[in-house]
Amino acid sequence: MTDLDSILSQAQTAFEAAPTSAELENAKARFLGKTGQVTELLKGMAALSVEEKKARGAQINQLKSAIESALQARRDALARAELESQLRSEALDVTLPGRQRGAGGLHPVSLAIERIEAIFGSMGFDVAEGPEIETDWMSFTALNNPENHPARSMQDTFYVDMKDAQGRWLNLRPHTSPMQVRYARAHAQKHAGQEPMPEIRVIAPGRTYRVDSDATHSPMFHQCEGLWIGEHISFKDLKVVFTDFLRRFFEDDSIQTRFRPSYFPFTEPSAEIDMMFGSGPLQGRWLELAGSGQVHPNVVRNYGLDPERYIGFAFGMGPDRLAMLRYGVSDLRLFFEGDLRFLSQFR
Ligand code: PHE
């Protein structure tokens, strides 16, 4: 093996052994750099004759280009390896399940309340909300339900062991009827002196509470109050409005309603509203849906209005019941357990 062959094989070995580009460039310097072996060979030619220089020069140039191509081959190999490892480390596993954003949806009772609001809204009813912790006066007294009157026990109220600033006992409202009083009083004040006073037409949906718990009763449930007061509003209007509402809510014109005499301290006369489907699985069965009646003169007085002049009707219905009937849910408790397997069916 000539000295040149040995330099070439040294260079090839050194390049192959360089694990990184930086070390490869260091190895290159040992052969092709200013003091590298090839450079030294060229310097050593000074003493040679012209003929010898020609032959030796050609050999050295051959060696140099062989070293350069070994170098380039190693550079390419290292660059490929680096690219591959970078690709590997940044690789995406497209077979992994993606992170999904859960699609939310409204609770079935909220869906029912939205429907109620849309239908009554189209009939010119305002939508009002009020406090769930009420005063004794709003929940009962203003509704013609005097203190110590036995009718108060129609509702198994949760009392709060606390009084408000005026010393009135507080309770978790057992019905939305206090909203009749709150809304009507605010309306009467706002339009005081205006002739004629614009009619009161409002619904008030919200949470209500009673000491009650079984498949069809929950200690927390929903009610929606309705109130229409004017100079000529009669029971006939209640029948038309409520029947029309039910037919639109269930999208079923075969629905019949029945007004069954009943008693509430705040209405006179009073009626339970029953409905019956003309078709479908519940066809022919009367279903109780709401309490209602002509607002009692004492209550109209507590609105701040003259009962000789203003008259109208109120009703209180259960959106939970309406949601059960519309969506075919048989147990009320399902609405309030927060089980996603149930709730996601309404998305
Ligand atoms: N507040 C009554 C109840 O909870 C329902 C009702 C409302 C009755 C309005 C008549 C008028 O049972």
PDB file of all heavy atoms in Angstrom, residues 243-266:
ATOM      1  N   THR A 243    -105.314  27.043  26.147  1.00  0.00           N
ATOM      2  CA  THR A 243    -105.518  25.948  25.187  1.00  0.00           C
ATOM      3  C   THR A 243    -104.628  26.162  23.961  1.00  0.00           C
ATOM      4  O   THR A 243    -103.981  25.223  23.467  1.00  0.00           O
ATOM      5  CB  THR A 243    -107.004  25.872  24.781  1.00  0.00           C
ATOM      6  OG1 THR A 243    -107.788  25.770  25.976  1.00  0.00           O
ATOM      7  CG2 THR A 243    -107.274  24.674  23.893  1.00  0.00           C
ATOM      8  N   ASP A 244    -104.572  27.386  23.497  1.00  0.00           N
ATOM      9  CA  ASP A 244    -103.724  27.699  22.348  1.00  0.00           C
ATOM     10  C   ASP A 244    -102.255  27.418  22.673  1.00  0.00           C
ATOM     11  O   ASP A 244    -101.522  26.819  21.875  1.00  0.00           O
ATOM     12  CB  ASP A 244    -103.909  29.183  21.987  1.00  0.00           C
ATOM     13  CG  ASP A 244    -103.254  29.522  20.663  1.00  0.00           C
ATOM     14  OD1 ASP A 244    -103.229  28.635  19.783  1.00  0.00           O
ATOM     15  OD2 ASP A 244    -102.749  30.653  20.518  1.00  0.00           O
ATOM     16  N   PHE A 245    -101.849  27.819  23.889  1.00  0.00           N
ATOM     17  CA  PHE A 245    -100.463  27.555  24.306  1.00  0.00           C
ATOM     18  C   PHE A 245    -100.150  26.054  24.237  1.00  0.00           C
ATOM     19  O   PHE A 245     -99.146  25.626  23.674  1.00  0.00           O
ATOM     20  CB  PHE A 245    -100.213  28.076  25.724  1.00  0.00           C
ATOM     21  CG  PHE A 245     -99.048  27.409  26.385  1.00  0.00           C
ATOM     22  CD1 PHE A 245     -97.749  27.680  25.955  1.00  0.00           C
ATOM     23  CD2 PHE A 245     -99.239  26.470  27.396  1.00  0.00           C
ATOM     24  CE1 PHE A 245     -96.659  27.031  26.534  1.00  0.00           C
ATOM     25  CE2 PHE A 245     -98.155  25.817  27.972  1.00  0.00           C
ATOM     26  CZ  PHE A 245     -96.865  26.095  27.536  1.00  0.00           C
ATOM     27  N   LEU A 246    -101.041  25.236  24.832  1.00  0.00           N
ATOM     28  CA  LEU A 246    -100.769  23.785  24.882  1.00  0.00           C
ATOM     29  C   LEU A 246    -100.685  23.176  23.485  1.00  0.00           C
ATOM     30  O   LEU A 246     -99.820  22.357  23.201  1.00  0.00           O
ATOM     31  CB  LEU A 246    -101.846  23.067  25.696  1.00  0.00           C
ATOM     32  CG  LEU A 246    -101.793  23.304  27.206  1.00  0.00           C
ATOM     33  CD1 LEU A 246    -102.983  22.651  27.881  1.00  0.00           C
ATOM     34  CD2 LEU A 246    -100.488  22.772  27.793  1.00  0.00           C
ATOM     35  N   ARG A 247    -101.573  23.584  22.611  1.00  0.00           N
ATOM     36  CA  ARG A 247    -101.559  23.031  21.245  1.00  0.00           C
ATOM     37  C   ARG A 247    -100.269  23.405  20.539  1.00  0.00           C
ATOM     38  O   ARG A 247     -99.722  22.605  19.771  1.00  0.00           O
ATOM     39  CB  ARG A 247    -102.784  23.517  20.471  1.00  0.00           C
ATOM     40  CG  ARG A 247    -104.062  22.870  21.011  1.00  0.00           C
ATOM     41  CD  ARG A 247    -105.312  23.296  20.255  1.00  0.00           C
ATOM     42  NE  ARG A 247    -106.474  22.619  20.849  1.00  0.00           N
ATOM     43  CZ  ARG A 247    -107.721  22.971  20.628  1.00  0.00           C
ATOM     44  NH1 ARG A 247    -108.003  23.996  19.826  1.00  0.00           N
ATOM     45  NH2 ARG A 247    -108.696  22.294  21.204  1.00  0.00           N
ATOM     46  N   ARG A 248     -99.776  24.589  20.810  1.00  0.00           N
ATOM     47  CA  ARG A 248     -98.519  24.990  20.162  1.00  0.00           C
ATOM     48  C   ARG A 248     -97.331  24.316  20.839  1.00  0.00           C
ATOM     49  O   ARG A 248     -96.378  23.914  20.178  1.00  0.00           O
ATOM     50  CB  ARG A 248     -98.392  26.513  20.187  1.00  0.00           C
ATOM     51  CG  ARG A 248     -99.357  27.154  19.202  1.00  0.00           C
ATOM     52  CD  ARG A 248     -99.465  28.637  19.375  1.00  0.00           C
ATOM     53  NE  ARG A 248     -98.236  29.323  19.004  1.00  0.00           N
ATOM     54  CZ  ARG A 248     -98.085  30.638  19.102  1.00  0.00           C
ATOM     55  NH1 ARG A 248     -99.068  31.385  19.550  1.00  0.00           N
ATOM     56  NH2 ARG A 248     -96.959  31.205  18.747  1.00  0.00           N
ATOM     57  N   PHE A 249     -97.392  24.193  22.166  1.00  0.00           N
ATOM     58  CA  PHE A 249     -96.258  23.586  22.880  1.00  0.00           C
ATOM     59  C   PHE A 249     -96.047  22.151  22.401  1.00  0.00           C
ATOM     60  O   PHE A 249     -94.922  21.718  22.167  1.00  0.00           O
ATOM     61  CB  PHE A 249     -96.500  23.611  24.392  1.00  0.00           C
ATOM     62  CG  PHE A 249     -95.324  23.089  25.182  1.00  0.00           C
ATOM     63  CD1 PHE A 249     -94.295  23.949  25.565  1.00  0.00           C
ATOM     64  CD2 PHE A 249     -95.228  21.747  25.522  1.00  0.00           C
ATOM     65  CE1 PHE A 249     -93.198  23.470  26.274  1.00  0.00           C
ATOM     66  CE2 PHE A 249     -94.133  21.271  26.233  1.00  0.00           C
ATOM     67  CZ  PHE A 249     -93.113  22.135  26.611  1.00  0.00           C
ATOM     68  N   PHE A 250     -97.152  21.400  22.281  1.00  0.00           N
ATOM     69  CA  PHE A 250     -97.029  19.991  21.883  1.00  0.00           C
ATOM     70  C   PHE A 250     -97.191  19.799  20.378  1.00  0.00           C
ATOM     71  O   PHE A 250     -97.163  18.667  19.898  1.00  0.00           O
ATOM     72  CB  PHE A 250     -98.052  19.134  22.636  1.00  0.00           C
ATOM     73  CG  PHE A 250     -97.747  19.011  24.109  1.00  0.00           C
ATOM     74  CD1 PHE A 250     -98.494  19.698  25.054  1.00  0.00           C
ATOM     75  CD2 PHE A 250     -96.692  18.223  24.552  1.00  0.00           C
ATOM     76  CE1 PHE A 250     -98.209  19.586  26.411  1.00  0.00           C
ATOM     77  CE2 PHE A 250     -96.402  18.111  25.905  1.00  0.00           C
ATOM     78  CZ  PHE A 250     -97.154  18.795  26.834  1.00  0.00           C
ATOM     79  N   GLU A 251     -97.385  20.875  19.642  1.00  0.00           N
ATOM     80  CA  GLU A 251     -97.607  20.798  18.190  1.00  0.00           C
ATOM     81  C   GLU A 251     -98.696  19.772  17.881  1.00  0.00           C
ATOM     82  O   GLU A 251     -98.488  18.870  17.086  1.00  0.00           O
ATOM     83  CB  GLU A 251     -96.292  20.440  17.483  1.00  0.00           C
ATOM     84  CG  GLU A 251     -95.225  21.510  17.678  1.00  0.00           C
ATOM     85  CD  GLU A 251     -93.839  21.036  17.270  1.00  0.00           C
ATOM     86  OE1 GLU A 251     -93.185  20.347  18.053  1.00  0.00           O
ATOM     87  OE2 GLU A 251     -93.447  21.372  16.142  1.00  0.00           O
ATOM     88  N   ASP A 252     -99.825  19.932  18.572  1.00  0.00           N
ATOM     89  CA  ASP A 252    -100.884  18.926  18.452  1.00  0.00           C
ATOM     90  C   ASP A 252    -102.245  19.619  18.627  1.00  0.00           C
ATOM     91  O   ASP A 252    -102.630  19.990  19.732  1.00  0.00           O
ATOM     92  CB  ASP A 252    -100.667  17.860  19.539  1.00  0.00           C
ATOM     93  CG  ASP A 252    -101.693  16.741  19.474  1.00  0.00           C
ATOM     94  OD1 ASP A 252    -102.708  16.882  18.737  1.00  0.00           O
ATOM     95  OD2 ASP A 252    -101.485  15.736  20.173  1.00  0.00           O
ATOM     96  N   ASP A 253    -102.969  19.776  17.512  1.00  0.00           N
ATOM     97  CA  ASP A 253    -104.245  20.484  17.574  1.00  0.00           C
ATOM     98  C   ASP A 253    -105.371  19.632  18.123  1.00  0.00           C
ATOM     99  O   ASP A 253    -106.495  20.111  18.314  1.00  0.00           O
ATOM    100  CB  ASP A 253    -104.633  21.016  16.180  1.00  0.00           C
ATOM    101  CG  ASP A 253    -103.811  22.247  15.825  1.00  0.00           C
ATOM    102  OD1 ASP A 253    -103.263  22.886  16.758  1.00  0.00           O
ATOM    103  OD2 ASP A 253    -103.698  22.570  14.623  1.00  0.00           O
ATOM    104  N   SER A 254    -105.080  18.346  18.394  1.00  0.00           N
ATOM    105  CA  SER A 254    -106.138  17.484  18.932  1.00  0.00           C
ATOM    106  C   SER A 254    -106.283  17.646  20.450  1.00  0.00           C
ATOM    107  O   SER A 254    -107.157  17.026  21.058  1.00  0.00           O
ATOM    108  CB  SER A 254    -105.832  16.019  18.602  1.00  0.00           C
ATOM    109  OG  SER A 254    -104.793  15.533  19.445  1.00  0.00           O
ATOM    110  N   ILE A 255    -105.422  18.480  21.066  1.00  0.00           N
ATOM    111  CA  ILE A 255    -105.445  18.614  22.533  1.00  0.00           C
ATOM    112  C   ILE A 255    -106.733  19.297  23.009  1.00  0.00           C
ATOM    113  O   ILE A 255    -107.161  20.311  22.443  1.00  0.00           O
ATOM    114  CB  ILE A 255    -104.204  19.394  23.019  1.00  0.00           C
ATOM    115  CG1 ILE A 255    -102.963  18.504  22.878  1.00  0.00           C
ATOM    116  CG2 ILE A 255    -104.376  19.879  24.459  1.00  0.00           C
ATOM    117  CD1 ILE A 255    -101.659  19.214  23.172  1.00  0.00           C
ATOM    118  N   GLN A 256    -107.356  18.680  24.035  1.00  0.00           N
ATOM    119  CA  GLN A 256    -108.540  19.263  24.681  1.00  0.00           C
ATOM    120  C   GLN A 256    -108.137  19.738  26.072  1.00  0.00           C
ATOM    121  O   GLN A 256    -107.253  19.148  26.687  1.00  0.00           O
ATOM    122  CB  GLN A 256    -109.620  18.190  24.873  1.00  0.00           C
ATOM    123  CG  GLN A 256    -110.050  17.485  23.602  1.00  0.00           C
ATOM    124  CD  GLN A 256    -110.933  18.371  22.746  1.00  0.00           C
ATOM    125  OE1 GLN A 256    -111.837  19.031  23.276  1.00  0.00           O
ATOM    126  NE2 GLN A 256    -110.655  18.412  21.451  1.00  0.00           N
ATOM    127  N   THR A 257    -108.808  20.779  26.569  1.00  0.00           N
ATOM    128  CA  THR A 257    -108.543  21.200  27.949  1.00  0.00           C
ATOM    129  C   THR A 257    -109.835  21.143  28.751  1.00  0.00           C
ATOM    130  O   THR A 257    -110.943  21.193  28.198  1.00  0.00           O
ATOM    131  CB  THR A 257    -107.992  22.637  28.007  1.00  0.00           C
ATOM    132  OG1 THR A 257    -108.829  23.471  27.218  1.00  0.00           O
ATOM    133  CG2 THR A 257    -106.567  22.703  27.502  1.00  0.00           C
ATOM    134  N   ARG A 258    -109.634  21.028  30.061  1.00  0.00           N
ATOM    135  CA  ARG A 258    -110.784  20.968  30.979  1.00  0.00           C
ATOM    136  C   ARG A 258    -110.432  21.827  32.184  1.00  0.00           C
ATOM    137  O   ARG A 258    -109.315  21.745  32.701  1.00  0.00           O
ATOM    138  CB  ARG A 258    -110.973  19.512  31.396  1.00  0.00           C
ATOM    139  CG  ARG A 258    -111.994  19.291  32.465  1.00  0.00           C
ATOM    140  CD  ARG A 258    -112.211  17.804  32.690  1.00  0.00           C
ATOM    141  NE  ARG A 258    -111.202  17.223  33.563  1.00  0.00           N
ATOM    142  CZ  ARG A 258    -111.210  15.958  33.973  1.00  0.00           C
ATOM    143  NH1 ARG A 258    -112.148  15.126  33.547  1.00  0.00           N
ATOM    144  NH2 ARG A 258    -110.285  15.504  34.780  1.00  0.00           N
ATOM    145  N   PHE A 259    -111.378  22.684  32.596  1.00  0.00           N
ATOM    146  CA  PHE A 259    -111.141  23.547  33.756  1.00  0.00           C
ATOM    147  C   PHE A 259    -111.976  23.001  34.902  1.00  0.00           C
ATOM    148  O   PHE A 259    -113.199  23.099  34.884  1.00  0.00           O
ATOM    149  CB  PHE A 259    -111.470  25.004  33.419  1.00  0.00           C
ATOM    150  CG  PHE A 259    -110.451  25.601  32.484  1.00  0.00           C
ATOM    151  CD1 PHE A 259    -110.412  25.233  31.146  1.00  0.00           C
ATOM    152  CD2 PHE A 259    -109.498  26.486  32.945  1.00  0.00           C
ATOM    153  CE1 PHE A 259    -109.445  25.749  30.284  1.00  0.00           C
ATOM    154  CE2 PHE A 259    -108.534  27.011  32.092  1.00  0.00           C
ATOM    155  CZ  PHE A 259    -108.506  26.640  30.763  1.00  0.00           C
ATOM    156  N   ARG A 260    -111.285  22.390  35.858  1.00  0.00           N
ATOM    157  CA  ARG A 260    -111.947  21.650  36.937  1.00  0.00           C
ATOM    158  C   ARG A 260    -111.968  22.528  38.184  1.00  0.00           C
ATOM    159  O   ARG A 260    -110.911  22.982  38.627  1.00  0.00           O
ATOM    160  CB  ARG A 260    -111.142  20.370  37.171  1.00  0.00           C
ATOM    161  CG  ARG A 260    -111.699  19.398  38.168  1.00  0.00           C
ATOM    162  CD  ARG A 260    -111.061  18.009  37.961  1.00  0.00           C
ATOM    163  NE  ARG A 260    -109.620  18.065  37.657  1.00  0.00           N
ATOM    164  CZ  ARG A 260    -108.661  18.135  38.571  1.00  0.00           C
ATOM    165  NH1 ARG A 260    -108.946  18.182  39.852  1.00  0.00           N
ATOM    166  NH2 ARG A 260    -107.388  18.187  38.211  1.00  0.00           N
ATOM    167  N   PRO A 261    -113.159  22.799  38.748  1.00  0.00           N
ATOM    168  CA  PRO A 261    -113.242  23.707  39.895  1.00  0.00           C
ATOM    169  C   PRO A 261    -112.298  23.299  41.017  1.00  0.00           C
ATOM    170  O   PRO A 261    -112.149  22.111  41.304  1.00  0.00           O
ATOM    171  CB  PRO A 261    -114.706  23.583  40.341  1.00  0.00           C
ATOM    172  CG  PRO A 261    -115.431  23.135  39.124  1.00  0.00           C
ATOM    173  CD  PRO A 261    -114.466  22.284  38.349  1.00  0.00           C
ATOM    174  N   SER A 262    -111.675  24.305  41.619  1.00  0.00           N
ATOM    175  CA  SER A 262    -110.688  24.022  42.663  1.00  0.00           C
ATOM    176  C   SER A 262    -110.651  25.202  43.616  1.00  0.00           C
ATOM    177  O   SER A 262    -111.501  26.101  43.546  1.00  0.00           O
ATOM    178  CB  SER A 262    -109.328  23.790  42.008  1.00  0.00           C
ATOM    179  OG  SER A 262    -108.364  23.442  42.975  1.00  0.00           O
ATOM    180  N   TYR A 263    -109.667  25.204  44.487  1.00  0.00           N
ATOM    181  CA  TYR A 263    -109.561  26.325  45.427  1.00  0.00           C
ATOM    182  C   TYR A 263    -108.124  26.819  45.541  1.00  0.00           C
ATOM    183  O   TYR A 263    -107.196  26.025  45.705  1.00  0.00           O
ATOM    184  CB  TYR A 263    -110.042  25.905  46.826  1.00  0.00           C
ATOM    185  CG  TYR A 263    -109.719  26.967  47.856  1.00  0.00           C
ATOM    186  CD1 TYR A 263    -110.487  28.134  47.931  1.00  0.00           C
ATOM    187  CD2 TYR A 263    -108.614  26.843  48.700  1.00  0.00           C
ATOM    188  CE1 TYR A 263    -110.171  29.139  48.827  1.00  0.00           C
ATOM    189  CE2 TYR A 263    -108.285  27.844  49.606  1.00  0.00           C
ATOM    190  CZ  TYR A 263    -109.062  28.987  49.662  1.00  0.00           C
ATOM    191  OH  TYR A 263    -108.747  29.982  50.536  1.00  0.00           O
ATOM    192  N   PHE A 264    -107.927  28.091  45.396  1.00  0.00           N
ATOM    193  CA  PHE A 264    -106.687  28.772  45.772  1.00  0.00           C
ATOM    194  C   PHE A 264    -107.101  30.052  46.458  1.00  0.00           C
ATOM    195  O   PHE A 264    -108.076  30.688  46.036  1.00  0.00           O
ATOM    196  CB  PHE A 264    -105.823  29.106  44.542  1.00  0.00           C
ATOM    197  CG  PHE A 264    -105.372  27.895  43.778  1.00  0.00           C
ATOM    198  CD1 PHE A 264    -106.029  27.505  42.615  1.00  0.00           C
ATOM    199  CD2 PHE A 264    -104.302  27.135  44.222  1.00  0.00           C
ATOM    200  CE1 PHE A 264    -105.624  26.375  41.911  1.00  0.00           C
ATOM    201  CE2 PHE A 264    -103.888  26.003  43.527  1.00  0.00           C
ATOM    202  CZ  PHE A 264    -104.560  25.621  42.366  1.00  0.00           C
ATOM    203  N   PRO A 265    -106.387  30.462  47.519  1.00  0.00           N
ATOM    204  CA  PRO A 265    -106.799  31.688  48.218  1.00  0.00           C
ATOM    205  C   PRO A 265    -106.708  32.919  47.311  1.00  0.00           C
ATOM    206  O   PRO A 265    -107.438  33.884  47.527  1.00  0.00           O
ATOM    207  CB  PRO A 265    -105.768  31.803  49.362  1.00  0.00           C
ATOM    208  CG  PRO A 265    -105.052  30.491  49.429  1.00  0.00           C
ATOM    209  CD  PRO A 265    -105.209  29.825  48.112  1.00  0.00           C
ATOM    210  N   PHE A 266    -105.826  32.862  46.327  1.00  0.00           N
ATOM    211  CA  PHE A 266    -105.549  34.073  45.529  1.00  0.00           C
ATOM    212  C   PHE A 266    -106.372  34.170  44.259  1.00  0.00           C
ATOM    213  O   PHE A 266    -106.216  35.111  43.486  1.00  0.00           O
ATOM    214  CB  PHE A 266    -104.054  34.188  45.214  1.00  0.00           C
ATOM    215  CG  PHE A 266    -103.339  32.863  45.085  1.00  0.00           C
ATOM    216  CD1 PHE A 266    -103.182  32.258  43.851  1.00  0.00           C
ATOM    217  CD2 PHE A 266    -102.841  32.229  46.219  1.00  0.00           C
ATOM    218  CE1 PHE A 266    -102.525  31.031  43.750  1.00  0.00           C
ATOM    219  CE2 PHE A 266    -102.186  31.005  46.119  1.00  0.00           C
ATOM    220  CZ  PHE A 266    -102.026  30.406  44.890  1.00  0.00           C
TER     221      PHE A 266
END
